[in-house]
Amino acid sequence: MNIGKISLSASILALALAGCGEKPETGTEVVRIGSVAPLTGPQAHLGKDNENGARLAIDEINAKGLVLGGRPVKLELIGEDDQADPKTATIVAQKLSDQGVKAVIGHLNSGTTIPASKYYRDADIPQISPSATAIAYTAQGYRTAYRVMANDEQQGRVLGQFATGLMGAKRIAVIDDRTAYGQGLADEFEKAARAAGAQIVAREYTNDRATDFTPILTSIKGKAPDLVFFGGMDPQGGPMVQQMKRLGLNARYLGGDGIQNANFLKLAGADAEGVTASSPGLPLEAMPGGPDFRQRFESRYGQIQVYAPYAYDAVQVLAAAMRRADSADPAKVLAALPQTDHQGVTGQIRFDAKGDTTGGAVTLYQVKNGAWVVLETVK
Amino acid sequence: MDIFVQQLINGLVLGSIYALVALGYTMVYGILELINFAHGEVTMIGAMVALAAIGLIMGAAPELPGLVIVLGGVLVAIPACMLLGFSIERLAYRPLRRAPRLAPLITAIGISIVLQNVAMLVWGRQYIAFPPLLPQGRHEILGAHITDLQIFIVLLSVAIMLGLWFTVRKTRLGRAMRATAQSREVAELMGVNVNTVISATFLIGSALAAIAGVMVSAYYGLAHYYMGFMLGLKAFSAAVLGGIGNIAGAMLGGFLLGVVEALGAGYIGDLTGGFLGSHYQDVFAFFVLILVLVFRPSGLLGERVAARA
């Protein structure tokens, strides 16, 4: 027993020493970049998608070779799991700060990105979120917070105008999943729809782990809406559409980018037909580097869920800032980030003073014959 | 009125699923005084195995009627879950039977996490869609909609629960189970093979979990490695609400919790003028649970347990 313990601690010590002495290649500096997204839990498929997008970019940059301050640099991605949970997100953020990562790509959800952003600000680490769209994220005024996707203000406004305009909705029921993203989008949508003269007949709530929506849908049915808006993600949106049909609630269904993905179609099945949803940015096919990106991504990781191109661009924007600063030092990279003018896969990326992208487009899609079809792009 | 009837139907369907899972908790607790936290995960494995089998059957013989394919899935899932439940008891709980009560409880939580992660590795992180194989016929009662599947779920649950109640009350195995529940030592002295009885309890509970798992995934149209957690928690609450260890109590608790949840979520917003919204539906359900426990600490149908000699 004792001998076992001693030899165990000896081998741990040996490992630790080996770890200290490890040098990857002579002269090459390793720069670690964190990538945080939910890798377990209901949104794990989206999280893995983001991480793969970031990984593709890192591998391509490494393959091309990155030289900063005269030394060859190898980027290393540290993938972390925040479980889409705000509390876990802060723990992961603290861990990444302690590990001394030079930048963070993430998080995926607005609800995790916002609390984590404080930790990155305190540690002066640049943070670029590929997919957090809540207004509150950049409204905090942190100089470390950036995102490469249009925010919910733009998206909610477009959705609200579309619902009342082209879809002709007069009585609208709004459901959100109580996450920073779902709630923020639903609030912005409600504001825009009200302004356009529609009546909000019900405002109901669920959560991002729920599968049963029949009670709230039944309650909504009693108020006879002609449109149901959902601020949330596909694991809830898909079953919700099915349950609407089952209850005989014949209203149209509208959502944001959280449901505008392939998985939603699978989960909603035949009931997905006619569902409308928006997504920030251009459709992948219309993106400047879209078709090429799809080919490179899918040959390695399989089908793109939704945000992978944004995660890819976030890493490229970061690498470009490092090249301009000629250093991976976070302080210098932070000074270089505002001058970003990057031709990415998703479009031309520039930042405003808050860290939001300028000129983000929003595209509306509808399910026709079991596939998302582009309706129109609003600039 | 039609909205109220609809909410009642929603609650009954949900409640019958809770009840079926709650039976598994309550049976194990009745006999071992162990809260088998892995039970929710057994339900999940049942759904996953059934879906995998359904996929295989659909690939091999797509011309079979949907009902037969689903039945095939269930018939694969039941033995798989029984084997799983049996192994869990044999490997994780039996060695700890004489350990302090906290040890098997923590083991149970550990098993539950292991099962979740194994399922994640095997079936992936995605939500898996349940193919639309079952009849989708819709009927109207008093202006409310009810589907064939919902009627089937409620009827099947009630039938299974009655069957179980009969087993425990009227058969030799049932008598052995009740004896073991009263006092393991004395039952053993009377010639009851306690290990066999406990294994039988886990086998029956796991078979029920498999059926409940398929029902849940067919009803909501999806399965996911995480689905057992919340379902297990709610079913456990249902068992406590009805009086843990009591079979009729688990049924009553399940139905009650389902109905309270549906009515709570449906009306809380209107009743409070929008002050409390439907996101408080779980609060509502657990509030009822607390209220019942304050006045009846051993649950609605639970007996006051005198200190054991």
Side-chain angles (χ1 to χ4, degrees):
Chain A
M1 185 72 188
N2 269 333
I3 293 171
K5 256 188 195 161
I6 290 166
S7 66
L8 185 67
S9 29
S11 53
I12 289 172
L13 193 68
L15 269 177
L17 287 174
C20 290
E22 191 184 29
K23 280 239 171 72
E25 283 149 57
T26 38
T28 305
E29 189 190 353
V30 173
V31 168
R32 300 203 284 182
I33 295 171
S35 158
V36 196
L39 302 178
T40 56
Q43 294 171 24
H45 58 294
L46 300 175
K48 200 68 200 166
D49 191 48
N50 275 20
E51 193 185 291
N52 286 340
R55 185 152 308 215
L56 183 65
I58 295 236
D59 290 352
E60 288 182 10
I61 292 164
N62 283 339
K64 243 194 258 167
L66 180 64
V67 180
L68 299 178
R71 284 182 72 191
V73 166
K74 184 170 170 289
L75 298 182
E76 189 189 342
L77 194 73
I78 310 222
E80 288 285 350
D81 176 17
D82 66 13
Q83 301 170 10
D85 172 39
K87 195 167 78 245
T88 312
T90 58
I91 297 169
V92 170
Q94 183 66 58
K95 186 174 152 197
L96 285 174
S97 316
D98 294 345
Q99 284 178 344
V101 297
K102 303 288 185 207
V104 170
I105 305 300
H107 302 195
L108 187 150
N109 310 81
S110 297
T112 51
T113 304
I114 295 167
S117 63
K118 185 181 174 299
Y119 289 77
Y120 302 129
R121 185 205 58 174
D122 291 349
D124 281 319
I125 297 173
Q127 177 192 15
I128 307 179
S129 172
S131 49
T133 49
I135 300 156
Y137 168 49
T138 49
Q140 301 173 106
Y142 295 167
R143 53 183 218 102
T144 48
Y146 287 89
R147 68 173 133 216
V148 291
M149 187 179 262
N151 68 20
D152 288 339
E153 195 181 344
Q154 293 157 297
Q155 201 183 171
R157 197 175 56 233
V158 169
L159 280 165
Q161 285 162 355
F162 183 74
T164 48
L166 233 67
M167 289 176 101
K170 303 221 157 39
R171 300 172 59 81
I172 299 176
V174 179
I175 306 174
D176 76 61
D177 66 358
R178 292 280 99 182
T179 61
Y181 160 71
Q183 194 179 345
L185 184 66
D187 286 346
E188 288 302 323
F189 169 82
E190 193 180 326
K191 226 189 278 170
R194 260 189 219 282
Q199 190 189 352
I200 306 296
V201 293
R203 181 76 200 249
E204 298 285 350
Y205 313 94
T206 179
N207 64 63
D208 61 347
R209 299 265 145 106
T211 47
D212 184 18
F213 313 99
T214 46
I216 56 174
L217 291 172
T218 304
S219 167
I220 284 174
K221 192 186 162 203
K223 288 159 187 161
D226 49 19
L227 184 128
V228 174
F229 178 84
F230 176 55
M233 312 295 285
D234 59 277
Q236 281 67 47
M240 194 184 287
V241 173
Q242 285 193 328
Q243 290 168 30
M244 270 173 66
K245 292 278 152 66
R246 201 187 292 152
L247 288 167
L249 172 53
N250 296 314
R252 309 192 60 183
Y253 193 76
L254 180 69
D257 53 313
I259 65 165
Q260 201 276 310
N261 55 38
N263 208 41
F264 173 82
L265 299 177
K266 246 193 274 167
L267 292 175
D271 295 327
E273 209 57 31
V275 168
T276 314
S278 68
S279 195
L282 300 163
L284 191 63
E285 280 64 38
M287 284 176 188
D292 185 44
F293 176 80
R294 176 189 292 274
Q295 200 237 320
R296 274 180 296 160
F297 186 92
E298 296 195 342
S299 67
R300 281 182 61 175
Y301 305 113
Q303 198 184 24
I304 294 177
Q305 290 294 339
V306 47
Y307 304 125
Y310 293 93
Y312 178 88
D313 271 1
V315 174
Q316 294 288 6
V317 162
L318 181 73
M322 285 181 178
R323 281 195 205 98
R324 278 198 305 280
D326 201 22
S327 164
D329 180 34
K332 290 182 187 150
V333 173
L334 276 175
L337 267 172
Q339 289 95 49
T340 292
D341 188 2
H342 176 74
Q343 176 61 47
V345 169
T346 60
Q348 197 70 23
I349 297 170
R350 294 187 199 95
F351 294 121
D352 67 9
K354 281 193 297 184
D356 281 327
T357 48
T358 54
V362 177
T363 307
L364 287 151
Y365 298 80
Q366 191 165 45
V367 183
K368 282 186 186 140
N369 299 321
W372 289 106
V373 179
V374 176
L375 283 181
E376 61 172 320
T377 298
V378 183
K379 298 243 179 193
Chain B
M1 184 62 197
D2 52 333
I3 298 299
F4 180 74
V5 174
Q6 184 75 62
Q7 295 288 23
L8 270 187
I9 293 174
N10 298 342
L12 273 183
V13 176
L14 190 61
S16 56
I17 295 170
Y18 286 166
L20 213 51
V21 183
L23 285 175
Y25 279 100
T26 228
M27 279 169 62
V28 169
Y29 186 87
I31 288 175
L32 282 182
E33 289 189 15
L34 162 72
I35 297 164
N36 178 16
F37 272 114
H39 192 63
E41 266 59 46
V42 177
T43 311
M44 176 271 295
I45 298 278
M48 289 301 203
V49 169
L51 264 173
I54 286 170
L56 284 180
I57 300 172
M58 275 172 80
E63 70 284 352
L64 283 175
L67 210 58
V68 176
I69 297 179
V70 175
L71 196 69
V74 176
L75 288 181
V76 176
I78 290 178
C81 282
M82 286 169 87
L83 183 69
L84 179 67
F86 176 80
S87 322
I88 291 174
E89 192 273 327
R90 193 70 193 77
L91 300 174
Y93 299 151
R94 193 173 294 182
L96 294 173
R97 206 174 283 165
R98 306 220 172 266
R101 280 178 67 179
L102 219 48
L105 191 71
I106 292 166
T107 311
I109 294 172
I111 294 272
S112 138
I113 294 170
V114 167
L115 286 180
Q116 264 185 36
N117 284 286
V118 167
M120 188 180 84
L121 289 175
V122 174
W123 287 286
R125 306 173 163 94
Q126 298 246 9
Y127 274 74
I128 304 169
F130 195 96
L133 293 167
L134 294 170
Q136 296 287 331
R138 229 165 58 184
H139 312 279
E140 269 201 52
I141 307 168
L142 299 169
H145 291 271
I146 184 162
T147 61
D148 289 339
L149 181 62
Q150 287 173 312
I151 298 173
F152 181 72
I153 287 177
V154 175
L155 290 184
L156 185 66
S157 301
V158 171
I160 289 173
M161 287 181 244
L162 289 179
L164 185 67
W165 191 79
F166 179 81
T167 309
V168 171
R169 287 282 140 196
K170 304 285 178 197
T171 62
R172 266 179 78 86
L173 175 66
R175 203 187 310 159
M177 284 165 96
R178 281 180 288 140
T180 311
Q182 280 179 5
S183 167
R184 209 182 299 155
E185 286 77 15
V186 177
E188 216 159 6
L189 291 175
M190 296 297 135
V192 174
N193 187 338
V194 174
N195 281 336
T196 314
V197 169
I198 291 173
S199 288
T201 308
F202 273 86
L203 288 174
I204 296 173
S206 304
L208 296 186
I211 297 172
V214 179
M215 277 187 191
V216 176
S217 57
Y219 183 44
Y220 294 124
L222 51 82
H224 188 247
Y225 74 90
Y226 201 74
M227 65 187 267
F229 178 75
M230 201 58 195
L231 182 66
L233 199 65
K234 290 278 174 67
F236 171 63
S237 310
V240 173
L241 184 65
I244 193 153
N246 183 313
I247 288 182
M251 300 186 219
L252 180 71
F255 281 117
L256 202 65
L257 197 70
V259 171
V260 164
E261 234 185 83
L263 291 181
Y267 287 103
I268 193 168
D270 295 343
L271 285 179
T272 57
F275 173 64
L276 294 175
S278 45
H279 45 308
Y280 286 97
Q281 63 164 310
D282 287 346
V283 177
F284 208 72
F286 289 117
F287 180 71
V288 171
L289 178 72
I290 293 170
L291 209 66
V292 168
L293 291 184
V294 165
F295 292 102
R296 286 194 63 92
S298 43
L300 287 173
L301 298 185
E303 298 117 41
R304 261 160 237 255
V305 188
R308 291 248 166 103

